Amino acid sequence: MADFRVERVLRAPAQYWMLIMMWVRSSMAYPASFALMVCGSMLVTVMDFVAVVLMFSHISSFGGFSLAEMALLYATASMTLGIADLFTGSIERVGERVRTGVFDAYLIRPVPAFVQAAADGFALRRIGRPLQASIVLVFALGRLDVDWTVARGIMLVVSMIAGSVIFAAIFVLGAAFQFIAVDSAELANSFTYGGQTMTQYPLTVFGKQIVRAVTFVVPLAFVNYYPVLFVLGKPAPLGLPSWIGLLSPLVAVVMVGLASLAWRAGLRRYRSTGS
């Protein structure tokens, strides 16, 4: 039994890739429509950064951050959510699939239910968000006055990977909760899309209680805020050490563990729709 489970885990990445490529080929069947949807996605998300730029036409700093530093915060927040949404965002529709009985089909196929739920309906148009974030990131890096070192460069790259994993884990946690409360997708969205909106600003502007909550309860601060503070050489709030951003990969690992346990618990609780 243990060997069978290990084999399933080892096969999962290839199965996931096969499923998403099927959806990619479907999207590319109409290239003009796909291009328009990607451009539309980029235009919608860029308006958030336009608001930041307009704000800085009247002020020189916000929460101790300059425009270039705010651009780095925005780019890392949008990039991490965009990557997580691209590869795991479809899983937020688990409640709908449970309600309609589609989830039953996942359980009788020779592919893990998680892989099917994450890949089903894969929307390549979601790449618009990380593409737009990449443009802002280039803008930020070109204007930042930072003494770049190897450690800071590695930290920036690793933190974006870890932040994407944290957001992906939150997507999975929200999906697992939908086995209990089927119509709770919006609750998860408040921590994913809402979390991205929050983390694109300096968290200290929200007050100490909020900072404590996103540090010790739902660790959104480790998505990009603490790593960016480390890169910029800024002190951490709440009297925390300046190197706390280095814990971002560890937080990602813990979140993956929690998401895995929650998903397994949801599957054990699932009793079908009866239809």
Side-chain angles (χ1 to χ4, degrees), residues 51-61:
V52 173
V53 173
L54 291 176
M55 179 175 66
F56 272 86
S57 66
H58 300 284
I59 60 177
S60 58
S61 67

Side-chain angles (χ1 to χ4, degrees), residues 39 46 50 58 98 106 108 146 148 168 192 235 244 247 253 267 273:
C39 290
V46 79
V50 169
H58 300 284
V98 168
Y106 292 172
I108 61 175
V146 174
W148 287 103
T192 51
I244 190 171
L247 298 180
V253 171
L267 283 181
T273 61

